[in-house]
């Protein structure tokens, strides 16, 4: 069974940092996209960042550029999101996503096949 399990969420002060990790099992995603989305209360789930391989083919939402960095470790079937300079508007449940086919780091959530259960990130003022 394919599963994505996120970890690393928590509560931080504005300006702080968190590192989220997602471990996939049941399938490898070496040659296809993995990414992060987030959903705040009352909002739709939105794109954060995605990566195709460990070689640096990445895509970021405009609101996160310069603050967030996505990376992956194909040997461990893991994707991570380093989040720096966190702001209250970053507060959301963060979801790991993966596609078994997508060859580019697209932002459309409908293109991803598997999803984690989410991890809460809370940023206080």
């Amino acid at each position: 069974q394919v599963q994505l399990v996120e970890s690393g969420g928590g509560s931080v002060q504005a300006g702080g940092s968190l590192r989220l990790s997602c471990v996939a099992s049941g399938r490898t995603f070496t040659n296809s996209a993995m990414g992060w989305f987030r959903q705040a209360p009352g909002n739709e789930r939105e794109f954060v960042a995605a990566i195709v391989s460990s070689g640096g083919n990445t895509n970021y939402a405009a609101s996160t550029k310069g603050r967030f960095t996505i990376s992956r470790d194909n040997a461990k079937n893991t994707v991570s999101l380093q989040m720096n300079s966190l702001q209250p508007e970053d507060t959301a449940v963060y979801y790991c996503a993966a596609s078994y086919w997508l060859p580019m780091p697209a932002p459309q959530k409908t293109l991803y096949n598997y999803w984690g259960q989410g991890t809460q990130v809370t940023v206080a003022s």
Side-chain angles (χ1 to χ4, degrees), residues 24 28 43 47 55-56 65 73 108 111 118:
T28 58
N43 292 353
F47 173 74
K65 288 182 179 179
D73 185 338
Q108 295 88 358
L111 299 177

Side-chain angles (χ1 to χ4, degrees), residues 61-107:
S63 61
T64 68
K65 288 182 179 179
R67 300 188 298 124
F68 292 8
T69 302
I70 189 170
S71 62
R72 64 192 292 174
D73 185 338
N74 288 333
K76 298 180 179 179
N77 215 20
T78 300
V79 62
S80 299
L81 185 69
Q82 178 66 45
M83 304 185 294
N84 298 326
S85 301
L86 285 164
Q87 301 298 314
E89 53 265 36
D90 295 315
T91 295
V93 176
Y94 283 69
Y95 296 90
C96 177
S99 171
Y100 63 78
W101 67 273
L102 189 63
M104 59 189 66

Side-chain angles (χ1 to χ4, degrees), residues 95-123:
Y95 296 90
C96 177
S99 171
Y100 63 78
W101 67 273
L102 189 63
M104 59 189 66
Q108 295 88 358
K109 55 181 177 290
T110 56
L111 299 177
Y112 294 82
N113 306 105
Y114 305 103
W115 295 85
Q117 292 299 116
T119 184
Q120 177 70 46
V121 171
T122 302
V123 185

